[in-house]
Amino acid sequence: MTETLSRLLLRLSEAEHPVLWGRVAAPHFGREFDRLLAQRVLVEDPPTDTWAVCSDCDCDLDARPIQQIHGQRVAVCSQDHRSDVHLSDDDIRSYRIDPALLVGLIGKASGLNRPPEAILPGVWRLANVFGSQAVFLALSVSATTQPALLGMLTRAAQGTAATLLVPRGMPEESRRLLEDSGIHVVVTTDVMGNEAPFALEAERLVPANMPKLRLSRGRLAVTLFGTEGTLAKRPFDLLWILAEAGGTIVERRIIEAHMWSQPVAKTAVNDAVRDLREGLAAIDPRSENLIETKAGQGYRVALAPGEMVLNKSG
Ligand SMILES: [Zn+2]
């Protein structure tokens, strides 16, 4: 068996009304399969009584009837009995896949912090990961080509960065349209772990070049290497001044002038820097060398301008 059950269901769900046929399902029968039936992610339909006609038949039928012949189930070809197909019990079984319950299962297995919420036909909002990244999932190919998709994602993300998980069969053109607008597009099965079925690997839901530092002034919020926290007003203001300088050195007197309207003690800037370093360390220990001291000159954030995002209103 090469394809896991979770990957199989996702692949079939590229269709709008996904169906799993018994012959394809049979190698996956077992405890995990039974659990999906119990959760009604899979719902068994009555056995089929018709079968697809042979591929190159001139019988003019839409489907051929299934008949009992000598105690055997046979899809009979009216033109050529050599094309008759003998069917097993599994062959005539089928299971409908419930897209909403499948998405719910993915969210739960991934330990996401909220139940998925449908925002468009076939599109769900899954969660926020790493403090801010909004993650959405489109199950069917038709869901990825809806004209309303981009506008809806942008609105639902509420100003944060967005990742859309998509089926492998998404048209390239639709994918480019979203990527050009800054949506991070990822094929769902590419970020599905092999350990726990249906679980997404959260760290693979964000772009590799995600900003290392993101500041949201309205909330005094700092997202550092993907972890969000908040700072007190004074350390935040200092970080903002340094970040605005885009990694260049900011002199002490500039910092003083920005932060205080009156002359302050010589140690005021040192104290503010110490508070800032402590605040950042509480958010992520990797911040240890983030605020650099340049002796006799000033301070800088040890990041490149492209690694920082400053958000005035958020
Ligand atoms: Zn035929």
Side-chain angles (χ1 to χ4, degrees):
M1 196 193 310
T2 52
E3 191 177 34
T4 62
L5 182 54
S6 50
R7 287 166 193 275
L8 169 64
L9 295 189
L10 275 162
R11 180 164 62 77
L12 294 173
S13 297
E14 298 206 352
E16 218 165 329
H17 302 288
V19 173
L20 169 63
W21 280 93
R23 183 184 287 192
V24 181
H28 298 278
F29 286 159
R31 270 177 57 195
E32 193 189 348
F33 196 90
D34 290 343
R35 205 159 35 232
L36 295 177
L37 285 172
Q39 293 167 331
R40 302 192 68 76
V41 173
L42 294 175
V43 177
E44 184 162 8
D45 275 332
T48 182
D49 52 11
T50 59
W51 200 249
V53 294
C54 350
S55 53
D56 53 353
C57 205
D58 46 12
C59 63
D60 281 340
L61 294 173
D62 291 332
R64 45 181 156 170
I66 295 174
Q67 297 174 6
Q68 290 286 343
I69 300 173
H70 306 309
Q72 284 223 11
R73 205 180 282 112
V74 184
V76 175
C77 176
S78 59
Q79 304 295 304
D80 181 354
H81 281 298
R82 285 172 301 182
S83 297
D84 286 356
V85 179
H86 293 257
L87 300 171
S88 71
D89 287 349
D90 286 341
D91 287 335
I92 60 167
R93 299 170 105 163
S94 65
Y95 305 85
R96 262 175 297 129
I97 302 169
D98 186 310
L101 292 181
L102 176 59
V103 173
L105 181 66
I106 291 170
K108 213 169 167 190
S110 310
L112 299 180
N113 53 9
R114 56 199 265 178
E117 167 202 353
I119 59 164
L120 276 178
V123 184
W124 287 263
R125 184 191 173 110
L126 282 190
N128 278 2
V129 293
F130 297 114
S132 58
Q133 192 87 6
V135 180
F136 302 89
L137 170 65
L139 213 49
S140 63
V141 170
S142 62
T144 66
T145 57
Q146 303 176 85
L149 181 59
L150 175 59
M152 194 54 167
L153 291 177
T154 310
R155 263 198 306 284
Q158 295 172 322
T160 68
T163 295
L164 178 64
L165 298 164
V166 298
R168 193 168 297 285
M170 178 184 191
E172 193 51 42
E173 197 186 336
S174 308
R175 181 179 181 133
R176 236 185 341 258
L177 176 76
L178 296 179
E179 285 177 339
D180 287 349
S181 304
I183 310 276
H184 183 50
V185 180
V186 180
V187 173
T188 311
T189 47
D190 286 349
V191 292
M192 201 162 245
N194 289 316
E195 304 273 301
F198 298 103
L200 304 168
E201 296 183 330
E203 66 277 10
R204 296 173 66 190
L205 300 179
V206 293
N209 59 352
M210 186 181 68
K212 292 179 176 145
L213 178 65
R214 187 191 297 269
L215 300 183
S216 301
R217 186 166 217 172
R219 297 181 294 123
L220 301 180
V222 177
T223 305
L224 191 55
F225 307 117
T227 309
E228 191 181 82
T230 51
L231 290 174
K233 175 103 175 64
R234 194 176 70 170
F236 187 92
D237 287 345
L238 173 56
L239 181 58
W240 186 274
I241 294 164
L242 297 176
E244 263 189 332
T248 61
I249 298 164
V250 183
E251 291 175 38
R252 301 173 64 94
R253 59 178 183 85
I254 304 284
I255 294 172
E256 280 174 13
H258 269 85
M259 292 185 61
W260 293 281
S261 49
Q262 290 156 10
V264 288
K266 272 206 153 59
T267 55
V269 172
N270 298 23
D271 292 347
V273 169
R274 192 194 56 234
D275 289 350
L276 173 57
R277 285 179 175 144
E278 281 174 8
L280 292 174
I283 296 170
D284 193 305
R286 284 174 289 176
S287 67
E288 202 180 343
N289 301 312
L290 193 69
I291 307 300
E292 269 182 21
T293 307
K294 292 283 174 188
Q297 301 177 55
Y299 301 90
R300 68 180 282 266
V301 180
L303 291 174
E307 296 176 316
M308 297 181 264
V309 174
L310 280 74
N311 186 350
K312 272 186 185 143
S313 52

